[in-house]
Amino acid sequence: MNATLATILVLLGASVVVVVVARLARLPPILGYLVAGVLVGPHVLGWVEDSASIRHLADFGIVFLMFSLGLEFSLPQLVSMRRAVFGLGLAQVAITTLAGLIALPLAGFGWREGLVLGGALAMSSTAIVSKMLTERMELATPHGRDVIAILLFQDLAVVAFLIVIPALAREAMSLPAALGLAAFKGAVALLLILRFGQKPMRAWFHLVGRQRSSELFMLNVLLVTLGLATLTEAVGLSLALGAFLAGMLIAETEYRMQVEEDIKPFRDVLLGLFFVTVGMGLDLELVLAQWPFVLLLLGVPVAFKLALIVALARVFGAPLSSAMRTGFYLAQAGELALVMLALGTEVKLLPPALVQVVLASMVLSMLAAPLVIHFAEPIVRKLTANDWLARA
């Protein structure tokens, strides 16, 4: 049998089985893909080698993840929630990143690793949190609005990190110039594409839409997404940034909902493959050998984020009950953190041994997130007896 076909069959079979188990256990499919990668990867069963070709294919998962973020990004929503987004969200990401920037050098690592890992730890799981908010019908509650506002700013912040991380990998002498050039390129790309690209994009989609061909429409979406991703990579930025901008452009057209439905199968399959490759990189022997460090990186960041978000929500006027619920929802790591870790590893900015323990702690925190959120409610109600939601 062809080796490539055999590899694809193994990945498909493992993903289907493990994701079915995850859904039966009412856990997010992301965790199923991560477990599937760990099992079939070179460090456990060894059925699939962690090859460059698989990683290149998985890069498309990141592209479509960022495209979906851009597609769901709403400027009117951002303006209406600006106080919470640029107040609460900015404070949470900035303070968590600063904590990593201070803590990692004290542990013997460089400030660059601290900046990347601090930014990664600031991220929470949009997939897990939004799913649980919807299931528990809490999107319209005060803590639900604060959670969405912080997630919105995290989505914005990851775009900045995608610009900065490749620049951080440059030599120390050229680092200031590299950071300045990366910021300039990112600003120019945003200005040109969003300021001057909306009208041509709308006109082009009208032309394609009038042909009434679903095949042509899907080809056009793929062309725009991959074309802008390639363009930003060609000027020294990341593929993911171009995909995010493509999503923002298409979101301003009348075809946003149709594009979202058409692209969903591609996004979910390729994103699942990305998470499988993340799991394949996890060396369980190394993680088990350093289990105290893994537990430390699991407990301390989660407790820090929980306390920080509760404190910040109180500063911004939320009652204690609402602040605590916001903290419990956002204390865990997220899929965007895995994207940042993958990029940091790709540009050889993060040491592999450190990435292993950080990745293990993040996966464990995401695995525990649904349980923590579920059992947090009785704790919040006990601590806040006069809570309005408990009375309701």
Side-chain angles (χ1 to χ4, degrees):
M1 183 185 293
N2 184 279
T4 303
L5 179 58
T7 299
I8 292 173
L9 286 175
V10 169
L11 292 176
L12 287 175
S15 299
V16 169
V17 172
V18 178
V19 171
V20 165
V21 173
R23 287 197 173 275
L24 289 174
R26 297 185 178 276
L27 294 173
I30 291 173
L31 300 177
Y33 287 120
L34 290 168
V35 172
V38 171
L39 292 177
V40 304
H43 302 296
V44 180
L45 298 177
W47 291 350
V48 177
E49 292 298 324
D50 192 8
S51 65
S53 59
I54 292 176
R55 289 196 171 275
H56 289 155
L57 184 58
D59 285 342
F60 287 107
I62 301 176
V63 166
F64 284 103
L65 170 63
M66 296 306 297
F67 175 76
S68 297
L69 287 179
L71 200 61
E72 295 168 3
F73 189 78
S74 168
L75 287 175
Q77 184 185 22
L78 187 66
V79 171
S80 67
M81 302 174 68
R82 59 188 179 277
R83 183 177 180 275
V85 173
F86 294 104
L88 187 56
L90 172 59
Q92 184 266 321
V93 172
I95 295 174
T96 309
T97 304
L98 182 62
L101 195 57
I102 294 171
L104 266 291
L106 293 177
F109 297 97
W111 68 268
R112 303 183 201 194
E113 292 92 332
L115 180 62
V116 176
L117 289 179
L121 291 172
M123 301 300 155
S124 304
S125 176
T126 303
I128 295 173
V129 171
S130 59
K131 178 176 181 292
M132 294 205 68
L133 279 174
T134 304
E135 287 179 351
R136 295 160 69 93
M137 295 181 288
E138 294 178 0
L139 280 171
T141 61
H143 67 273
R145 289 192 292 269
D146 283 345
V147 166
I148 295 300
I150 293 175
L151 289 174
L152 267 175
F153 188 83
Q154 289 178 0
D155 293 346
L156 281 175
V158 81
V159 176
F161 280 112
L162 291 175
I163 296 172
V164 170
I165 290 174
L168 288 174
R170 307 289 177 86
E171 294 296 327
M173 293 296 291
S174 62
L175 182 58
L179 286 173
L181 182 60
F184 175 74
K185 287 178 179 178
V188 170
L190 285 167
L191 178 64
L192 290 178
I193 293 175
L194 298 181
R195 177 67 179 85
F196 301 105
Q198 290 184 7
K199 288 185 179 179
M201 183 65 68
R202 184 175 286 109
W204 175 248
F205 264 79
H206 275 303
L207 177 62
V208 172
R210 282 198 295 268
Q211 309 311 310
R212 300 185 181 280
S213 168
S214 57
E215 178 185 359
L216 177 62
F217 189 83
M218 190 67 244
L219 286 172
N220 181 57
V221 172
L222 293 175
L223 173 65
V224 170
T225 306
L226 297 178
L228 279 177
T230 304
L231 181 62
T232 54
E233 187 186 42
V235 298
L237 300 171
S238 66
L239 284 168
L241 177 62
F244 179 80
L245 294 176
M248 287 188 70
L249 273 180
I250 295 175
E252 298 301 317
T253 69
E254 295 83 352
Y255 298 94
R256 172 182 176 177
M257 300 302 293
Q258 183 179 346
V259 169
E260 192 169 3
E261 283 300 312
D262 288 348
I263 208 71
K264 191 174 182 180
F266 290 93
R267 180 198 66 192
D268 291 348
V269 170
L270 292 172
L271 191 56
L273 183 57
F274 165 71
F275 288 120
V276 169
T277 61
V278 170
M280 286 170 58
L282 191 62
D283 187 344
L284 290 184
E285 287 188 9
L286 180 61
V287 170
L288 291 174
Q290 301 191 44
W291 65 266
F293 193 24
V294 173
L295 292 180
L296 181 69
L297 286 177
L298 170 63
V300 173
V302 168
F304 174 78
K305 279 177 71 176
L306 173 60
L308 174 65
I309 292 170
V310 171
L312 288 174
R314 292 287 286 157
V315 169
F316 280 83
L320 179 59
S321 58
S322 178
M324 290 180 67
R325 289 187 178 93
T326 303
F328 277 115
Y329 265 105
L330 296 172
Q332 84 292 326
E335 56 274 6
L336 294 178
L338 303 182
V339 172
M340 291 173 61
L341 281 183
L343 182 57
T345 306
E346 181 183 335
V347 298
K348 296 181 172 55
L349 187 62
L350 299 175
L354 178 61
V355 170
Q356 289 290 329
V357 291
V358 171
L359 177 61
S361 66
M362 286 183 172
V363 171
L364 288 174
S365 76
M366 292 170 68
L367 185 62
L371 298 175
V372 170
I373 294 170
H374 178 74
F375 290 107
E377 186 62 27
I379 298 173
V380 173
R381 293 193 181 191
K382 278 187 178 181
L383 294 176
T384 56
N386 295 322
D387 172 49
W388 71 269
L389 188 59
R391 291 200 306 270

Coordinates of all heavy atoms in Angstrom, one line a residue, residues 307-387:
A307 N -7.5 34.2 39.3 CA -7.4 35.3 40.3 C -7.3 36.7 39.6 O -8.0 37.7 39.9 CB -6.2 35.2 41.2
L308 N -6.6 36.7 38.5 CA -6.4 38.0 37.7 C -7.7 38.4 37.1 O -8.1 39.6 37.2 CB -5.3 37.8 36.7 CG -5.1 39.0 35.7 CD1 -4.6 40.2 36.4 CD2 -4.2 38.6 34.5
I309 N -8.4 37.5 36.4 CA -9.6 37.9 35.8 C -10.7 38.3 36.8 O -11.5 39.2 36.5 CB -10.1 36.7 34.9 CG1 -9.1 36.5 33.7 CG2 -11.5 37.0 34.3 CD1 -9.3 35.3 32.9
V310 N -10.8 37.6 37.9 CA -11.8 37.9 38.9 C -11.5 39.4 39.4 O -12.4 40.2 39.5 CB -11.7 36.9 40.1 CG1 -12.6 37.5 41.3 CG2 -12.3 35.6 39.6
A311 N -10.2 39.6 39.7 CA -9.8 41.0 40.2 C -10.1 42.1 39.1 O -10.6 43.1 39.5 CB -8.3 41.0 40.6
L312 N -9.7 41.8 37.9 CA -10.0 42.8 36.8 C -11.5 43.0 36.6 O -11.9 44.2 36.4 CB -9.3 42.3 35.5 CG -7.8 42.4 35.5 CD1 -7.3 41.8 34.2 CD2 -7.3 43.8 35.6
A313 N -12.3 42.0 36.6 CA -13.7 42.1 36.4 C -14.3 43.0 37.5 O -15.2 43.8 37.3 CB -14.4 40.7 36.3
R314 N -13.8 42.8 38.8 CA -14.3 43.6 39.9 C -13.9 45.0 39.7 O -14.7 45.9 40.0 CB -13.7 43.0 41.2 CG -14.2 41.7 41.6 CD -15.6 41.7 42.1 NE -15.7 42.3 43.4 CZ -16.8 42.9 44.0 NH1 -17.9 43.0 43.3 NH2 -16.8 43.4 45.2
V315 N -12.7 45.3 39.2 CA -12.2 46.6 39.0 C -13.1 47.3 37.9 O -13.4 48.5 38.1 CB -10.7 46.7 38.5 CG1 -10.3 48.0 38.0 CG2 -9.8 46.2 39.7
F316 N -13.5 46.6 36.9 CA -14.4 47.1 35.9 C -15.9 47.1 36.2 O -16.7 47.3 35.4 CB -14.1 46.4 34.6 CG -12.9 46.9 33.9 CD1 -11.6 46.3 34.2 CD2 -12.9 47.8 32.9 CE1 -10.5 46.8 33.6 CE2 -11.8 48.3 32.2 CZ -10.6 47.7 32.6
G317 N -16.2 46.9 37.5 CA -17.5 47.1 38.0 C -18.4 45.8 38.0 O -19.6 46.0 38.4
A318 N -17.9 44.6 37.8 CA -18.7 43.4 37.8 C -18.9 43.0 39.3 O -18.0 43.1 40.1 CB -18.1 42.3 37.0
P319 N -20.1 42.5 39.6 CA -20.3 41.9 41.0 C -19.4 40.7 41.2 O -19.0 40.1 40.2 CB -21.8 41.6 41.0 CG -22.2 41.5 39.6 CD -21.3 42.4 38.8
L320 N -19.2 40.3 42.4 CA -18.3 39.2 42.7 C -18.7 37.9 42.0 O -17.9 37.2 41.5 CB -18.2 39.0 44.2 CG -17.3 37.8 44.7 CD1 -15.9 38.0 44.2 CD2 -17.3 37.7 46.2
S321 N -20.0 37.6 42.0 CA -20.5 36.4 41.4 C -20.2 36.3 39.9 O -19.7 35.3 39.4 CB -22.0 36.2 41.6 OG -22.7 37.4 41.1
S322 N -20.5 37.4 39.2 CA -20.2 37.5 37.8 C -18.7 37.4 37.5 O -18.3 36.8 36.6 CB -20.8 38.8 37.2 OG -20.5 38.9 35.8
A323 N -17.9 38.1 38.3 CA -16.4 38.1 38.2 C -15.9 36.7 38.3 O -15.0 36.3 37.6 CB -15.8 39.0 39.1
M324 N -16.4 35.9 39.3 CA -15.9 34.6 39.5 C -16.3 33.7 38.4 O -15.5 32.8 37.9 CB -16.5 34.0 40.8 CG -15.9 34.7 42.1 SD -16.6 34.1 43.6 CE -15.9 32.4 43.6
R325 N -17.5 33.8 37.9 CA -17.9 33.0 36.7 C -17.0 33.3 35.5 O -16.6 32.4 34.8 CB -19.4 33.2 36.4 CG -20.3 32.6 37.4 CD -21.8 32.7 37.0 NE -22.6 32.1 38.0 CZ -23.2 32.8 38.9 NH1 -23.1 34.1 39.1 NH2 -24.0 32.1 39.8
T326 N -16.7 34.6 35.3 CA -15.9 34.9 34.1 C -14.5 34.3 34.3 O -13.9 33.8 33.4 CB -15.7 36.5 34.1 OG1 -17.0 37.1 34.0 CG2 -14.9 36.9 32.9
G327 N -14.0 34.3 35.5 CA -12.6 33.8 35.8 C -12.6 32.3 35.6 O -11.7 31.7 34.9
F328 N -13.6 31.5 36.0 CA -13.7 30.1 35.8 C -13.8 29.7 34.4 O -13.2 28.7 33.9 CB -14.8 29.5 36.6 CG -14.5 29.2 38.1 CD1 -15.2 29.9 39.1 CD2 -13.5 28.3 38.4 CE1 -14.9 29.7 40.4 CE2 -13.2 28.1 39.8 CZ -13.9 28.8 40.8
Y329 N -14.5 30.5 33.6 CA -14.7 30.2 32.2 C -13.3 30.4 31.4 O -13.1 29.7 30.4 CB -15.7 31.1 31.5 CG -17.1 30.5 31.5 CD1 -18.1 30.9 32.4 CD2 -17.4 29.5 30.5 CE1 -19.4 30.3 32.3 CE2 -18.7 29.0 30.5 CZ -19.6 29.4 31.3 OH -20.9 28.8 31.3
L330 N -12.5 31.3 31.8 CA -11.4 31.7 31.0 C -10.0 31.3 31.6 O -9.0 31.6 31.1 CB -11.3 33.2 30.8 CG -12.5 33.8 30.0 CD1 -12.5 35.3 30.1 CD2 -12.5 33.3 28.6
A331 N -10.0 30.5 32.7 CA -8.8 30.2 33.3 C -7.9 29.2 32.6 O -6.7 29.2 32.7 CB -9.0 29.6 34.7
Q332 N -8.5 28.4 31.7 CA -7.8 27.3 31.0 C -7.0 27.9 29.8 O -7.2 29.0 29.4 CB -8.7 26.2 30.6 CG -9.5 26.4 29.3 CD -10.5 27.5 29.4 OE1 -11.1 27.7 30.4 NE2 -10.7 28.3 28.3
A333 N -6.2 27.0 29.2 CA -5.5 27.4 27.9 C -6.4 27.3 26.8 O -7.6 26.8 26.9 CB -4.3 26.5 27.8
G334 N -5.9 27.7 25.6 CA -6.8 27.6 24.4 C -6.1 27.2 23.1 O -4.9 27.0 23.1
E335 N -6.9 27.0 22.1 CA -6.3 26.5 20.8 C -5.4 27.5 20.2 O -4.4 27.1 19.5 CB -7.4 26.1 19.8 CG -8.4 27.2 19.5 CD -9.6 27.2 20.5 OE1 -9.5 26.5 21.5 OE2 -10.5 28.0 20.3
L336 N -5.6 28.8 20.4 CA -4.7 29.8 19.8 C -3.3 29.8 20.5 O -2.3 30.1 19.9 CB -5.3 31.2 20.0 CG -6.6 31.5 19.2 CD1 -7.1 32.9 19.5 CD2 -6.3 31.3 17.7
A337 N -3.3 29.3 21.7 CA -2.0 29.1 22.4 C -1.2 28.0 21.7 O 0.0 28.1 21.6 CB -2.2 28.8 23.9
L338 N -1.9 27.0 21.3 CA -1.2 25.9 20.5 C -0.7 26.4 19.2 O 0.4 26.0 18.8 CB -2.2 24.7 20.3 CG -2.8 24.1 21.6 CD1 -3.7 22.9 21.2 CD2 -1.8 23.7 22.6
V339 N -1.4 27.3 18.6 CA -0.9 27.9 17.3 C 0.3 28.7 17.6 O 1.3 28.6 16.8 CB -2.0 28.8 16.7 CG1 -1.5 29.6 15.5 CG2 -3.2 28.0 16.3
M340 N 0.4 29.5 18.7 CA 1.6 30.3 19.0 C 2.7 29.4 19.3 O 3.9 29.6 19.0 CB 1.2 31.2 20.1 CG 0.3 32.3 19.8 SD -0.3 33.3 21.2 CE 1.3 34.0 21.7
L341 N 2.5 28.3 20.1 CA 3.6 27.3 20.4 C 4.1 26.7 19.1 O 5.3 26.5 19.0 CB 3.0 26.2 21.3 CG 2.9 26.5 22.8 CD1 2.4 25.3 23.5 CD2 4.2 27.0 23.4
A342 N 3.2 26.3 18.2 CA 3.7 25.7 16.9 C 4.6 26.7 16.2 O 5.6 26.3 15.6 CB 2.5 25.3 16.1
L343 N 4.1 28.0 16.1 CA 4.9 28.9 15.4 C 6.3 29.2 16.1 O 7.3 29.3 15.4 CB 4.1 30.2 15.3 CG 4.8 31.4 14.5 CD1 5.1 31.0 13.1 CD2 3.9 32.6 14.4
G344 N 6.3 29.3 17.4 CA 7.5 29.5 18.1 C 8.5 28.4 18.0 O 9.7 28.6 17.9
T345 N 7.9 27.1 17.9 CA 8.8 26.0 17.6 C 9.3 26.0 16.2 O 10.5 25.6 16.0 CB 8.0 24.7 17.9 OG1 7.5 24.7 19.2 CG2 8.9 23.4 17.8
E346 N 8.5 26.3 15.3 CA 8.9 26.3 13.8 C 10.0 27.3 13.6 O 10.9 27.0 12.8 CB 7.7 26.7 13.0 CG 7.9 26.7 11.5 CD 6.7 27.2 10.7 OE1 5.6 27.0 11.2 OE2 6.9 27.7 9.6
V347 N 10.0 28.5 14.2 CA 11.1 29.4 14.0 C 12.3 29.2 15.0 O 13.1 30.1 15.1 CB 10.6 30.9 14.1 CG1 9.5 31.1 13.0 CG2 10.0 31.2 15.5
K348 N 12.2 28.1 15.7 CA 13.3 27.7 16.6 C 13.5 28.8 17.7 O 14.7 29.0 18.1 CB 14.6 27.5 15.9 CG 14.5 26.3 14.9 CD 15.8 26.0 14.2 CE 15.7 24.7 13.4 NZ 14.6 24.7 12.5
L349 N 12.4 29.3 18.2 CA 12.5 30.3 19.3 C 12.3 29.7 20.6 O 12.9 30.1 21.6 CB 11.4 31.4 19.1 CG 11.4 32.6 20.0 CD1 12.7 33.4 19.8 CD2 10.2 33.5 19.7
L350 N 11.6 28.5 20.7 CA 11.3 27.9 22.0 C 12.1 26.6 22.0 O 12.1 25.8 21.1 CB 9.8 27.6 22.1 CG 8.9 28.8 22.1 CD1 7.4 28.4 22.2 CD2 9.2 29.7 23.3
P351 N 12.7 26.3 23.2 CA 13.4 25.0 23.3 C 12.4 23.8 23.4 O 11.4 23.9 24.0 CB 14.2 25.1 24.6 CG 13.5 26.2 25.3 CD 12.9 27.1 24.3
P352 N 12.7 22.7 22.6 CA 11.8 21.6 22.6 C 11.4 21.0 23.9 O 10.2 20.7 24.1 CB 12.5 20.5 21.7 CG 13.5 21.3 20.9 CD 13.9 22.5 21.8
A353 N 12.3 20.9 24.9 CA 12.0 20.4 26.2 C 11.0 21.2 26.9 O 10.1 20.7 27.6 CB 13.3 20.2 27.0
L354 N 11.1 22.5 26.8 CA 10.2 23.4 27.4 C 8.8 23.3 26.8 O 7.8 23.3 27.4 CB 10.7 24.9 27.4 CG 9.8 26.0 28.0 CD1 9.5 25.7 29.5 CD2 10.4 27.4 27.8
V355 N 8.8 23.2 25.4 CA 7.5 23.1 24.7 C 6.8 21.9 25.1 O 5.5 21.9 25.3 CB 7.8 23.1 23.2 CG1 6.5 22.8 22.4 CG2 8.3 24.5 22.7
Q356 N 7.5 20.8 25.4 CA 6.8 19.5 25.7 C 6.0 19.7 27.0 O 4.8 19.3 27.1 CB 7.9 18.4 25.9 CG 8.5 17.9 24.6 CD 7.5 17.2 23.8 OE1 6.6 16.5 24.3 NE2 7.7 17.3 22.5
V357 N 6.6 20.3 28.1 CA 5.9 20.4 29.4 C 4.8 21.4 29.3 O 3.8 21.2 29.9 CB 6.9 20.6 30.5 CG1 7.8 19.5 30.8 CG2 7.7 21.9 30.2
V358 N 5.1 22.5 28.6 CA 4.0 23.5 28.4 C 2.8 23.0 27.7 O 1.7 23.2 28.0 CB 4.6 24.8 27.7 CG1 3.5 25.8 27.4 CG2 5.6 25.5 28.6
L359 N 3.1 22.3 26.6 CA 2.0 21.7 25.8 C 1.2 20.7 26.6 O 0.0 20.7 26.6 CB 2.7 21.0 24.6 CG 1.7 20.2 23.6 CD1 0.7 21.2 23.1 CD2 2.4 19.5 22.5
A360 N 1.9 19.8 27.4 CA 1.2 18.9 28.3 C 0.3 19.6 29.3 O -0.8 19.2 29.5 CB 2.2 18.0 29.0
S361 N 0.8 20.6 29.9 CA 0.0 21.3 30.9 C -1.2 22.0 30.2 O -2.3 22.1 30.8 CB 0.9 22.4 31.6 OG 1.3 23.4 30.7
M362 N -1.0 22.6 29.0 CA -2.1 23.2 28.3 C -3.2 22.2 27.9 O -4.4 22.5 28.1 CB -1.6 23.9 27.1 CG -0.9 25.2 27.4 SD -0.4 26.1 25.9 CE 0.2 27.6 26.6
V363 N -2.8 21.0 27.4 CA -3.7 20.0 27.1 C -4.5 19.5 28.3 O -5.7 19.4 28.2 CB -3.0 18.8 26.4 CG1 -4.0 17.6 26.2 CG2 -2.4 19.2 25.0
L364 N -3.8 19.4 29.4 CA -4.5 18.9 30.6 C -5.5 20.0 31.1 O -6.6 19.7 31.6 CB -3.5 18.7 31.7 CG -2.7 17.4 31.6 CD1 -1.6 17.3 32.7 CD2 -3.5 16.1 31.6
S365 N -5.1 21.3 31.0 CA -6.0 22.4 31.4 C -7.3 22.4 30.5 O -8.4 22.6 31.0 CB -5.3 23.7 31.5 OG -5.1 24.2 30.2
M366 N -7.1 22.2 29.2 CA -8.2 22.2 28.3 C -9.1 21.0 28.6 O -10.4 21.0 28.5 CB -7.8 22.2 26.9 CG -7.1 23.5 26.4 SD -6.3 23.4 24.8 CE -7.7 23.2 23.7
L367 N -8.5 19.8 28.9 CA -9.3 18.6 29.3 C -10.1 18.8 30.5 O -11.2 18.4 30.6 CB -8.3 17.5 29.5 CG -8.9 16.1 29.7 CD1 -9.7 15.6 28.5 CD2 -7.8 15.1 30.0
A368 N -9.5 19.6 31.5 CA -10.3 19.8 32.7 C -11.3 20.9 32.7 O -12.1 21.0 33.5 CB -9.2 20.1 33.8
A369 N -11.2 21.8 31.6 CA -12.0 23.0 31.6 C -13.5 22.7 31.7 O -14.2 23.4 32.5 CB -11.7 23.8 30.3
P370 N -14.1 21.8 30.9 CA -15.5 21.6 31.0 C -15.9 21.2 32.5 O -17.0 21.6 33.0 CB -15.8 20.5 30.0 CG -14.7 20.6 29.0 CD -13.5 21.0 29.8
L371 N -15.1 20.3 33.1 CA -15.4 19.9 34.5 C -15.3 21.0 35.4 O -16.2 21.2 36.3 CB -14.5 18.8 34.9 CG -14.5 17.5 34.0 CD1 -13.5 16.5 34.5 CD2 -15.9 16.8 34.2
V372 N -14.3 21.9 35.3 CA -14.1 23.0 36.2 C -15.3 24.0 36.1 O -15.8 24.4 37.1 CB -12.8 23.7 35.9 CG1 -12.7 25.0 36.6 CG2 -11.6 22.8 36.2
I373 N -15.7 24.3 34.8 CA -16.8 25.2 34.6 C -18.1 24.6 35.2 O -18.9 25.3 35.8 CB -16.9 25.5 33.1 CG1 -15.7 26.3 32.6 CG2 -18.2 26.3 32.8 CD1 -15.7 26.4 31.1
H374 N -18.3 23.3 35.0 CA -19.5 22.7 35.5 C -19.6 22.7 37.0 O -20.6 23.1 37.6 CB -19.6 21.2 35.0 CG -20.8 20.5 35.5 ND1 -22.0 20.7 35.0 CD2 -20.9 19.5 36.5 CE1 -22.9 19.9 35.7 NE2 -22.2 19.2 36.5
F375 N -18.5 22.4 37.7 CA -18.5 22.3 39.2 C -18.2 23.7 39.8 O -18.3 23.8 41.0 CB -17.5 21.3 39.7 CG -17.9 19.8 39.4 CD1 -17.3 19.1 38.4 CD2 -19.0 19.3 40.0 CE1 -17.7 17.8 38.1 CE2 -19.4 18.0 39.7 CZ -18.8 17.2 38.8
A376 N -17.9 24.7 39.0 CA -17.7 26.0 39.6 C -19.0 26.7 40.0 O -18.9 27.4 41.0 CB -17.0 26.9 38.5
E377 N -20.1 26.3 39.4 CA -21.3 27.0 39.7 C -21.7 26.8 41.2 O -22.1 27.8 41.8 CB -22.4 26.5 38.8 CG -23.8 27.3 38.9 CD -23.6 28.7 38.6 OE1 -22.7 29.1 37.8 OE2 -24.4 29.5 39.2
P378 N -21.7 25.6 41.7 CA -22.1 25.5 43.2 C -21.1 26.3 44.1 O -21.6 26.8 45.1 CB -22.0 24.0 43.4 CG -22.1 23.3 42.1 CD -21.5 24.3 41.1
I379 N -19.9 26.3 43.7 CA -18.9 27.1 44.5 C -19.2 28.5 44.5 O -19.2 29.2 45.5 CB -17.5 26.8 44.0 CG1 -17.1 25.3 44.1 CG2 -16.5 27.7 44.7 CD1 -15.8 25.0 43.4
V380 N -19.5 29.1 43.3 CA -19.8 30.5 43.2 C -21.1 30.8 44.0 O -21.2 31.8 44.7 CB -20.0 30.9 41.7 CG1 -20.5 32.3 41.6 CG2 -18.7 30.7 41.0
R381 N -22.1 30.0 43.9 CA -23.4 30.2 44.6 C -23.2 30.2 46.1 O -23.8 30.9 46.9 CB -24.4 29.2 44.2 CG -24.8 29.4 42.7 CD -26.1 28.6 42.4 NE -26.4 28.8 41.0 CZ -27.6 28.4 40.4 NH1 -28.5 27.8 41.2 NH2 -27.8 28.6 39.2
K382 N -22.3 29.3 46.6 CA -22.1 29.2 48.0 C -21.3 30.5 48.5 O -21.6 31.0 49.6 CB -21.2 28.0 48.4 CG -22.0 26.7 48.5 CD -21.2 25.6 49.0 CE -22.0 24.3 49.1 NZ -21.2 23.2 49.6
L383 N -20.4 30.9 47.7 CA -19.6 32.1 48.1 C -20.3 33.4 47.9 O -20.0 34.4 48.5 CB -18.3 32.1 47.3 CG -17.3 31.0 47.6 CD1 -16.1 31.1 46.7 CD2 -16.9 31.0 49.1
T384 N -21.4 33.4 47.1 CA -22.2 34.6 46.9 C -23.6 34.3 47.1 O -24.4 34.1 46.1 CB -21.9 35.1 45.4 OG1 -22.2 34.1 44.5 CG2 -20.5 35.5 45.2
A385 N -24.0 34.3 48.3 CA -25.4 33.8 48.6 C -26.5 34.8 48.1 O -27.6 34.4 47.8 CB -25.5 33.7 50.1
N386 N -26.1 36.1 47.9 CA -27.1 37.0 47.4 C -27.0 37.3 45.9 O -27.5 38.3 45.4 CB -26.9 38.4 48.1 CG -27.2 38.3 49.6 OD1 -28.1 37.6 50.0 ND2 -26.4 39.0 50.4
D387 N -26.5 36.3 45.2 CA -26.3 36.4 43.8 C -27.6 36.4 43.1 O -28.5 35.7 43.3 CB -25.5 35.2 43.3 CG -25.4 35.1 41.8 OD1 -25.0 36.1 41.2 OD2 -25.6 34.0 41.3

